[in-house]
Each structure stands twice: as C-alpha cells, then as structure tokens.
Amino acid sequence: MLFALFLCTEDQGKRVLCYTKKQEIVSRGETMRKGIRHHRVGDKVERYLLIKTATKQIASNSKAFLTLMLGDHTGEIEAKLWGISPEDEATFTNKTIVHIAGDVIDYRGRLQLKVASIRPTTQMDGMKVGDFVRSAPLAPNDMLEEINQYIFDMRNPKIQRITRFLLKKHQQAFLESPAATKNHHEFMAGLAFHVVSMLRIAKNFVQLYPSLDPDLLYAGIILHDLGKVRELSGAIDTSYTLEGKLLGHISIVVSEIADAAKELEIDGEEVLIIQHLVLSHHGKGEWGSPKAPVIREAEVLHLIDNVDAKINMMDRALERVEPGEFSERVMPLENRSFYKPSFQERPLDL
C-alpha cells in the first residue's frame, strides 16, 4: 500500500530527512517481528523505533547533532543525526516514534545505527508507544500471586504485617516499575521480576542452609528495592525523580518501614533488622550502602541481589551473540566482553 509522507531532502552528510513522499507501508507485524536487539553488524534496518532519549551535542566542526537512543520491545541501539536544524531538534524528541532506515555498524565495540533516512510517524502508521516497551517475561498478576505466597508463609507476624502492608501500598507501581534506568531489569515490571527471581534463589538457599531465617530473607528481598517506585519515573524514558536524586531508594524504604511500623503499632527489634537489610543490601559504602551487612541474612540478601543482577546483564549481553563470538562490552561488569562457547545454541531470531 502507498501512503503520502513528508518530502525527503538530502543533507551534506547524505542523510535523508523525510517530510512528503509516497512510500510503501510495511505491515505492522512484519515490521515488529525482528527486534532491534537481534540485528547484527552489516544488517540493513528499516523499521519503526521509539526515541527513548535525544541528546543535543556539538561536533568538532561546531555543528549541532543529536545522539538518539532508539528502542523497541527487545532492546536499544544508538544513532547519530548529524548537522541538525532547529526543526529536527523539535521533531526528534523523547518518546517520539519514528520510521527509520539505515545500516548497523560497529562503533568502538558497540552497535550503532548509521541513519540513511528518518521520519516521525503519524496516526496512519498505527503505532503506539506501548508496542515499543520491553516487559518482564512473566505476567504481573502471576508474579504478585507468587510474591504474596512467600508473605503468607511467613511465621513472624511483625515481619509479615510490615511486608504485606508496604507491598499492598505500592502494589500497582511495583508491578509496573523497572528495577533500574539501565544495566539490569530496566524494563516494564522489571522490579517485580527481579524480586521473584531473587525469592526463587533464596528459597533454595534456605533449603540448603537451614540456619537462615526465611522470614527475614524474604522480607528483605521484597522490600529492598521497593523505594524505586518513587525513585524512578516509570518504564518509558526512565529517569530519576527529584526525590530519587535527593534521597535514593534505600533511604525512602527505610523511612517507609518506620512509618509502616508506627501505623501498624509494631515495635521490637524486627523493625530495626528489616531496616538494616535494606540499608546494607548494596554491600559497601562505595556501592551505595550506608552500612555494610552485619547480619547473616543481610549478607545473603546482598549476594542474591548481586547474582541476579549480574546474570541478567550477562544474559542480555549474550542473547544475540552467535556461538564462538564475544558480546559487546558490559560497562558495569568491569567493561568485559563475554564469550559464548561454540557448542551452545544460536540466538533466537526474533
């Protein structure tokens, strides 16, 4: 089918900005089938993508350009728009869906999309922002049911009541929030998925090491990142809120635990211990924890949190890597590239 678009003009950098011409519309199913994360160097790309961030910068020739972080439900890729005009800057902004064509290249060990043409979409393209947001592999209600079962099984009524109260208070935001702005579980419902994964690991730890207090460990896991529902802005174009920048999720939750205990008229050492688990879950001061773990369950919480985050980062880095090849560098993992053994399965071509 042909559709009237905007006229395309070519700039000195051989980049085409489309503003009206007849162009064939690819079916939505075909366009969305292969996610951007599964493209490789040398691939030609022509698809719809969401601008997650658009940052104006100045090149060495004193001309302005945009660094775009483009994404869909599978991942992200960076692109540059060179020699932009004020109109371009106003058009290609955060949360804008664009139709883009270009080639995937390697730039300093990371994939980048070299733009050949780009245009903003209209209502006739039939695209919605929600189509481009990656979400957890488990349904939110299923994750909530599983988490609630861990709370139901708690034997210490003080720990159980505080945990249940705070989860219920932030339930909707908890089921939608990412766990971070980048690096790990940075997708819709990523926070809940991170918690479920940690609880499953903890359940095995408790079976293997019966000296652990399951109530404390499970409560710490459920509450440790709950402050991110206030620290982060949401799943689309995730950024830090003012409260997140000034206080951080750890301080937020510690205050919420104290407020919950007061409202529920709960006293006793349990309140203090739960607060310590939250305060110490990053492990060290240089990693963001005001206190190092000095309780057994606090140390185990830190270890499980670290394991789940790192495995998620490695899985993301390796999911599109061919057997016998290395991944892109993973900055939070000491900028290492990870190798996929030649005898392992090829990535899914989504």
Side-chain angles (χ1 to χ4, degrees):
M1 180 173 74
L2 293 178
F3 174 58
L5 300 174
F6 302 98
L7 182 62
C8 295
T9 58
E10 190 174 274
D11 63 13
Q12 293 180 348
K14 305 299 182 183
R15 175 174 55 92
V16 180
L17 296 176
C18 300
Y19 294 103
T20 57
K21 93 175 204 190
K22 286 187 177 179
Q23 179 172 325
E24 185 174 359
I25 292 183
V26 180
S27 73
R28 183 178 177 194
E30 178 69 20
T31 304
M32 301 294 287
R33 186 183 62 185
K34 184 177 181 180
I36 191 63
R37 190 166 185 82
H38 302 280
H39 282 288
R40 302 177 184 87
V41 173
D43 284 358
K44 290 191 175 297
V45 173
E46 184 175 353
R47 60 182 299 110
Y48 295 98
L49 291 171
L50 175 70
I51 298 178
K52 295 193 170 182
T53 61
T55 306
K56 181 181 178 181
Q57 297 173 277
I58 303 298
S60 57
N61 62 3
S62 301
K63 292 186 178 180
F65 69 95
L66 286 177
T67 296
L68 304 179
M69 186 58 69
L70 304 162
D72 61 11
H73 64 291
T74 65
E76 299 177 342
I77 192 168
E78 186 182 85
K80 307 283 187 183
L81 289 185
W82 302 100
I84 60 167
S85 66
E87 183 181 11
D88 297 334
E89 188 179 351
T91 300
F92 302 111
T93 57
N94 295 5
K95 301 184 183 180
T96 298
I97 301 172
V98 295
H99 184 275
I100 192 166
D103 300 285
V104 178
I105 63 172
D106 182 293
Y107 180 72
R108 297 182 178 178
R110 299 187 67 83
L111 297 185
Q112 192 177 93
L113 183 59
K114 184 178 180 181
V115 179
S117 66
I118 185 172
R119 67 168 176 85
T121 56
T122 69
Q123 289 184 346
M124 295 186 69
D125 288 287
M127 294 289 124
K128 298 181 295 184
V129 171
D131 295 333
F132 298 85
V133 179
R134 183 172 175 244
S135 59
L138 301 177
N141 288 338
D142 291 343
M143 291 191 287
L144 180 62
E145 183 178 350
E146 185 169 342
I147 294 168
N148 277 329
Q149 186 60 51
Y150 281 90
I151 297 174
F152 179 79
D153 290 340
M154 290 178 181
R155 296 182 179 180
N156 186 308
K158 294 181 180 180
I159 295 174
Q160 183 186 56
R161 290 177 64 203
I162 290 172
T163 307
R164 181 193 294 124
F165 177 87
L166 288 174
L167 181 62
K168 187 174 182 180
K169 178 181 177 180
H170 297 290
Q171 179 175 303
Q172 191 57 43
F174 172 77
L175 293 176
E176 296 174 356
S177 178
T181 59
K182 58 183 178 180
N183 297 332
H184 78 92
H185 300 91
E186 70 286 15
F187 45 80
M188 179 82 76
L191 177 56
F193 184 62
H194 179 43
V195 167
V196 166
S197 299
M198 288 179 63
L199 287 170
R200 292 175 178 179
I201 296 171
K203 187 174 184 178
N204 285 281
F205 269 48
V206 168
Q207 291 173 350
L208 187 59
Y209 303 105
S211 59
L212 292 172
D213 183 332
D215 292 357
L216 264 185
L217 185 55
Y218 296 158
I221 289 171
I222 294 166
L223 300 177
H224 81 287
D225 274 350
L226 190 60
K228 289 186 176 181
V229 303
R230 289 165 54 185
E231 181 183 48
L232 303 178
S233 61
I236 301 173
D237 187 22
T238 307
S239 60
Y240 288 94
T241 63
L242 179 60
E243 188 178 22
K245 291 176 181 177
L246 297 181
L247 300 180
H249 70 282
I250 289 177
S251 298
I252 290 170
V253 176
V254 169
S255 295
E256 289 239 13
I257 292 168
D259 292 342
K262 185 177 180 180
E263 185 169 342
L264 296 171
E265 298 182 346
I266 294 174
D267 55 15
E269 197 173 68
E270 288 91 343
V271 179
L272 189 63
I273 300 302
I274 296 172
Q275 288 178 312
H276 174 74
L277 263 67
V278 172
L279 282 168
S280 63
H281 80 265
H282 282 179
K284 298 180 180 180
E286 55 266 39
W287 295 344
S289 268
K291 287 300 212 179
V294 294
I295 294 170
R296 179 176 47 202
E297 289 75 16
E299 178 68 18
V300 174
L301 168 61
H302 162 64
L303 294 173
I304 293 174
D305 187 27
N306 205 24
V307 165
D308 188 55
K310 286 185 175 180
I311 289 178
N312 183 259
M313 285 187 274
M314 290 186 288
D315 283 348
R316 294 282 286 156
L318 289 166
E319 67 183 0
R320 61 177 174 179
V321 174
E322 292 284 348
E325 295 183 0
F326 281 87
S327 72
E328 293 181 356
R329 293 187 178 276
V330 184
M331 189 68 68
L333 295 179
E334 295 81 41
N335 206 28
R336 287 174 284 165
S337 294
F338 289 87
Y339 180 71
K340 177 177 283 189
S342 59
F343 52 82
Q344 292 186 350
E345 293 183 1
R346 295 188 63 191
L348 293 174
D349 189 19
L350 298 177

